[in-house]
Amino acid sequence: ALEAAFELTRLEGIIPASTVGSDIVQPFEADSYYDKIFVALNEYRLSQIVEYLQEMIHQTNQHLMKTEIWKIKDKERFKLVGVPLIRTYLEAILIIAQAFEPVLPEISDRIFAALNHTRCKFEKSKFWNQLLEGSKIQTRLILFPPTTPNNP
């Protein structure tokens, strides 16, 4: 979802305006995952947190595939539908990065850097609408570099 969202922006790597107040459906219930992750973290069940993260990523990918925003050719429709969806996917990626922090902080840091966002905790009080409109994002992000003889 991360690379797809960056590739689909058609916004020159700029984070679009907030979707607060729109009727955009979020790809996953962040509140529910926060509660689950919080319990698992307090019980030191890190593998369970990884499973929740995989679910969040899968749901975001499913949502992206269902909306098919890359097929929107009309500029006005893209502005009305595609841009708010892109913002929502970028926000989902940020939430996932926050949830990654306890188990894979290096991956989390790379996502924060790609989104040009300072490291922040996974907090229930603020999920959606954390990204700063107009911030420049990296257009490519490699979370897991390929393994080579020089880079095992």
Side-chain angles (χ1 to χ4, degrees):
L2 182 62
E3 188 172 324
F6 289 159
E7 291 296 318
L8 297 173
T9 61
R10 299 184 202 173
L11 302 170
E12 298 177 12
I14 303 296
I15 294 176
S18 170
T19 56
V20 170
S22 74
D23 57 356
I24 298 292
V25 175
Q26 287 126 0
F28 55 83
E29 285 295 323
D31 286 347
S32 172
Y33 279 107
Y34 175 87
D35 293 338
K36 292 176 188 178
I37 290 170
F38 185 76
V39 169
L41 190 57
N42 285 330
E43 296 174 357
Y44 303 102
R45 292 184 289 124
L46 299 182
S47 61
Q48 184 66 57
I49 295 171
V50 172
E51 287 181 31
Y52 294 142
L53 288 165
Q54 289 174 329
E55 288 175 18
M56 294 164 73
I57 293 166
H58 179 72
Q59 289 175 14
T60 302
N61 278 331
Q62 280 187 316
H63 195 278
L64 176 65
M65 299 308 285
K66 182 179 175 185
T67 61
E68 297 183 324
I69 58 176
W70 57 89
K71 289 185 176 180
I72 301 172
K73 303 296 182 206
D74 179 70
K75 287 182 181 181
E76 282 304 308
R77 178 152 168 71
F78 184 77
K79 188 189 259 185
L80 292 172
V81 177
V83 172
L85 282 168
I86 288 168
R87 169 67 185 231
T88 300
Y89 297 134
L90 292 171
E91 291 282 353
I93 292 164
L94 178 64
I95 293 167
I96 291 166
Q98 292 166 335
F100 256 116
E101 200 272 330
V103 289
L104 293 168
E106 184 178 301
I107 301 300
S108 180
D109 286 343
R110 288 182 188 172
I111 297 170
F112 284 127
L115 293 174
N116 196 19
H117 197 277
T118 57
R119 174 186 276 273
C120 53
K121 297 250 183 237
F122 189 44
E123 294 181 36
K124 198 169 192 170
S125 62
K126 55 178 182 179
F127 285 129
W128 305 99
N129 198 35
Q130 297 181 63
L131 293 171
L132 182 61
E133 176 184 349
S135 291
K136 183 85 170 150
I137 57 175
Q138 293 180 11
T139 55
R140 286 250 184 233
L141 174 64
I142 300 172
L143 294 179
F144 302 99
T147 304
T148 63
N150 297 334
N151 182 22

